[in-house]
Amino acid sequence: MAEASSITTPAELDAAYDLAIVGAGPAGMAAAKEAAGHGLSVLVLDENAGPGGQIYRAITRSPAPGLAALGADYWKGAPLAADFLAAPVHYAAGTTVWSLAIAAEGSGHEIGVSIAGAARMVAAREVILATGALERPFPVPGWTLPGVMTAGGAQTMLKASGLVPDGRVVLAGSGPLLYLLAAQFVAAGANISALLDTTPSANWGRALPHLPAFLASPYLRKGLALLWKTRRSLRVMRGVSAISAEGDGKLASVRFSKGGAAETLPCDLLLLHQGVVPNINLSNAAGCAQDWDETQLCFTPRLDAWFESSVPGVAIAGDGAGIAGAESAALRGTLAAIGAAFRLGHLDAVERDSRAAPVRAELARMGRGRAFLDHFYQPAKPLRIPPQDDTIVCRCEEVTAGMIRAAVAHGVTGPNQMKSFLRCGMGPCQGRQCGLTVTEMIAEARGLPPTEIGALRLRPPVKPITLSELASLPKTEAATRAVVR
Amino acid sequence: MSATGAGGQPDVIVIGGGIHGCSSALHCAMRGMRVLVLEKDYPGRHASGVNAGGVRQLARDFAEVPLSVLSMALWHRIAELVDDDCGFTSDGQVLVAETEEELTGFRERVRKLNDLGFTHEELIDVTELRRLVPAVSDSCPGGIVSRQDGAAVPFRATQAIRRKAETLGARVLEGVRVETLARRDGVWTVATSAGAFQAPVVVNAAGAWAGRIAAMAGEPVPLKVIAPMLMITERRPHFIEPVVILRGRKLSFKQFANGTVLIGGGHEGRPNPDTNETILDWAKLAESAQTVWEVFPVMRGASIMRAWAGIEASMPDHIPVIGPSARNDGLYHQFGFSAHGFQLGPGTGAVMAELIATGATNTPIDAFRIGRFQHDPPQSAAAP
């Protein structure tokens, strides 16, 4: 039986592939398997050491003590990863993708990658971006203090290294993942003082019309089980607002309002989380059009029925196409691969549509109930748009909310001018941590919808590369052609 | 249709809201003219806002030196001129010789400049080079320093000039694209995506799009649209004060106060002036990386955070087009700065305003006349 070939140096790369897939989470793994099944030459590029993405991180490694805590949904990733590793694809793990652009000559795309400290350009006729999600920024006073981190970051350490936080832990925020993380930490033996739920009670009204679909959805069972487990095992405080992390040089306590009264809880670790948003850095830098999603309160790429973006030959699957969860991600990956196989002439329209029909049906089933979650878990405005002027918005460049508001008053009309003006979004994170906040702040200050304000234009390298890596890229035109063709 | 708005008919319409258009608007407004700036995107969106920010008299074409010296004087009092220091700092610029042969050429250049009466460029030996730029590779034998030179923050500078012009009464319309130009009875009608505007004088400061404006006025030029690329590193320990440039290989190099290092030098990506997009050429950026790797060993472990390109106009002889149209009264050109126009912004605006107001200037700009690209006699192709 065929199996995935590991690529560990640039020299092992083919000059060109039919399809390059960025990301080996559920969407990328499913897309690779599907595409290989249609006879495409496939390259999968992923920055992690093994397949699984964020949700199924380290899925192929034998369960370390404590990993049982991750729950049954986590282990659903195992067969997906096994199928992927059995598919005849090239798989470059531990690889950074730092650029995607239309090729200079002919059709197709040029992808900048770094493998084992050396950079190369790889050509692909079709590209599927399966770059997943990242946590929504949570800009509250003190969020940059040592001892404050994102709940997702802590989960990554748990999954990758079995690290369980020491000391008193407080979780704060909203969203379905927060409860999952809480349950995982409790099961792993963390000392959680409290979960501060910031879900605004007003969200009930907005979410109610979507309740019937939710009650009939697969989310319900999962959600109730989680809530039940979490409630039973830790102190959950609801209706929390105005969170701030306090401490002199490092976190000492978290301060918050509950029912109009201020409270303080001493803690050693504060884990913040208020949902995830699509990681669109690479698609944005590649010029894919994107729109503001009024419900999920984030930018999502503009896609057709086959998840193809406004840039022909670049499809976006998984949570990077809009948050829908791991099981939907795999289905979207499959559909995107079917679309790519069709565009490359490996399938005709009839084969494509019949192959896709059951996948679409399953995707529709998985999507039921999503609207309820999206409305119910919309994060509170003061936790997205910091009301205090001295709250940091751009962590890399230490730009505060007050500076941004002052710049808008000064005539700065959009995030790109803001970037040029204040450097927010110019640091190593490339605006991952401040982009949404900046757009929403400008929108609010100008009284316009975020869609009219637009997003930061991101610049490659989407992930930093070293000068030495870049210098290792073949330089002469002839050498470049030999590599890119 | 006419849409001159509340301000009434302007005296001057400036097409293009880059540093040059905004500077001409400012200097015209300072002379009491009513000015309207038409900008198809937003001021500073392209080359003016995203360039390397070098404020350099050093290593210029001799034809540009007088204008550059004039402009430098304005940079040194920019805060007084526009109520904002534009992030301007004056730590000098150094042209590094990589070989003895290059240094010999530099010696000749400085001598010629001195003969012309310009003393801003000084030849330096290896000792002074190592004092100014301790991190430079041991193999470099000397160079030229221009001590009054420096750098500014491009977008901030362009915005500051624009705002000062507005304070003095200029109007700036964003998102307004010029469609046609026509002149009748001494008045230009500029048809745009937002209606028509009229004025007796038009300044074409449309940067990469200036060739289209010139063509609309029946005066086509061999303008090439280019996308000079830049990249910037993460914050590094402070190791260099002046801006450093090379001649033989393409490199410009500048460390900002925050520690980030800007690497440029004129390698070009692929521009698309219709969509405002640029596509980077990583093989050429890799050449820049290789050059830095060799000239500044201290930079080898640095991480590249971001690379980008601005959309700019280049002329075949790499010097700009500045001055009156050869074919139409009331039309002035100010474009084609060929990727080194940022420093010239303040001075060129002053010269344009002087030309428009008085019909002449003492600053030598004859080398920049548009007629150098028009080989047929101008009168035979005069506008109707």
Side-chain angles (χ1 to χ4, degrees), chain A residues 104 397 426 460 465 467-468, chain B residues 235 270 300 302 304-307:
Chain A
E397 297 291 334
M426 274 201 182
I465 49 172
L467 191 90
S468 298
Chain B
R235 296 173 186 223
R270 287 176 279 149
R300 289 179 184 180
I304 306 294
M305 287 294 128
R306 213 164 50 251

Side-chain angles (χ1 to χ4, degrees), chain A residues 98-99 101-105 110 112 121 286-287 396-398 410-413 416-421 423 425-430 457 459-477 480, chain B residues 42-45 49-50 84 153 155-156 159 162-163 174 231-235 256 258 260 263 270 276-290 292-293 296 299-309:
Chain A
W98 43 265
S99 168
I102 292 167
E105 291 162 30
E110 222 175 68
M121 305 303 293
C396 303
E397 297 291 334
E398 298 183 356
H410 208 61
V412 174
T413 55
N416 293 298
Q417 295 99 310
M418 193 67 77
K419 179 170 90 169
S420 303
F421 210 74
R423 299 188 52 81
M426 274 201 182
C429 92
Q430 281 264 25
R457 263 190 309 276
R459 304 296 194 184
V462 169
K463 294 277 170 79
I465 49 172
T466 66
L467 191 90
S468 298
E469 273 176 299
L470 181 54
S472 76
L473 197 66
K475 280 168 278 294
T476 66
E477 298 240 294
T480 309
Chain B
Y42 57 80
R45 164 72 175 86
V50 302
D84 185 315
V153 179
F155 185 77
R156 180 170 158 194
Q159 284 293 328
R162 170 244 178 111
R163 272 198 310 278
E174 300 186 9
M231 54 186 168
I232 195 154
T233 71
E234 97 262 54
R235 296 173 186 223
F256 289 97
N258 70 3
T260 57
I263 300 167
R270 287 176 279 149
N276 289 344
E277 288 170 320
T278 54
I279 294 181
L280 303 178
D281 184 333
W282 288 98
K284 290 186 192 154
L285 286 171
E287 283 181 35
S288 297
Q290 183 72 39
V292 173
W293 200 86
F296 293 104
M299 288 291 295
R300 289 179 184 180
S303 280
I304 306 294
M305 287 294 128
R306 213 164 50 251
W308 68 96

Side-chain angles (χ1 to χ4, degrees), chain A residues 8-141:
Chain A
T8 54
T9 67
E12 293 163 24
L13 289 167
D14 286 351
Y17 293 86
D18 290 331
L19 172 67
I21 297 168
V22 182
M29 293 191 292
K33 181 195 169 204
E34 181 71 23
H38 297 295
L40 277 63
S41 64
V42 178
L43 171 66
V44 178
L45 301 152
D46 188 65
E47 63 188 356
N48 292 314
Q54 298 294 348
I55 187 87
Y56 305 133
R57 177 179 293 278
I59 192 77
T60 53
R61 279 186 270 166
S62 53
L67 285 188
L70 295 172
D73 275 329
Y74 171 76
W75 294 107
K76 276 186 186 169
L80 200 55
D83 282 357
F84 163 63
L85 291 174
V89 299
H90 280 186
Y91 168 43
T95 297
T96 304
V97 174
W98 43 265
S99 168
L100 167 63
I102 292 167
E105 291 162 30
S107 59
H109 304 272
E110 222 175 68
I111 304 169
V113 305
S114 284
I115 306 178
R120 282 295 184 282
M121 305 303 293
V122 187
R125 295 167 69 195
E126 290 277 329
V127 177
I128 295 176
L129 301 180
T131 51
L134 44 79
E135 288 179 282
R136 178 190 295 282
F138 206 137
V140 293

Side-chain angles (χ1 to χ4, degrees), chain B residues 368-382:
Chain B
F368 311 132
R369 68 194 187 285
I370 194 167
R372 71 188 194 270
F373 301 116
Q374 296 164 352
H375 301 300
D376 46 340
Q379 61 272 24
S380 72

Side-chain angles (χ1 to χ4, degrees), chain A residues 280 284 290 299 415-416 435 439 450-451 453-458:
Chain A
I280 53 171
N284 177 323
Q290 54 198 26
F299 287 101
N416 293 298
T439 290
T451 193
I453 302 302
L456 278 171
R457 263 190 309 276
L458 298 177

Side-chain angles (χ1 to χ4, degrees), chain B residues 241-379:
Chain B
E241 291 287 343
V243 178
V244 168
I245 58 177
L246 299 185
R247 240 308 149 68
R249 293 190 284 181
K250 291 179 175 176
L251 183 69
S252 78
F253 192 85
K254 149 94 187 154
Q255 184 170 35
F256 289 97
N258 70 3
T260 57
V261 178
L262 185 69
I263 300 167
H267 282 301
E268 290 168 19
R270 287 176 279 149
N272 185 339
D274 294 317
T275 63
N276 289 344
E277 288 170 320
T278 54
I279 294 181
L280 303 178
D281 184 333
W282 288 98
K284 290 186 192 154
L285 286 171
E287 283 181 35
S288 297
Q290 183 72 39
T291 307
V292 173
W293 200 86
E294 289 168 19
V295 179
F296 293 104
V298 63
M299 288 291 295
R300 289 179 184 180
S303 280
I304 306 294
M305 287 294 128
R306 213 164 50 251
W308 68 96
I311 304 185
E312 160 70 334
S314 179
M315 305 312 295
D317 49 8
H318 302 291
I319 57 174
V321 174
I322 302 172
S325 159
R327 297 190 173 168
N328 297 283
D329 287 340
L331 175 63
Y332 295 82
H333 295 295
Q334 182 182 7
F335 63 81
F337 289 85
S338 308
H340 50 261
F342 180 65
Q343 188 266 350
L344 297 175
T348 309
V351 167
M352 292 303 285
E354 188 187 7
L355 270 177
I356 292 166
T358 70
T361 172
N362 284 330
T363 307
I365 56 166
D366 190 55
F368 311 132
R369 68 194 187 285
I370 194 167
R372 71 188 194 270
F373 301 116
Q374 296 164 352
H375 301 300
D376 46 340
Q379 61 272 24

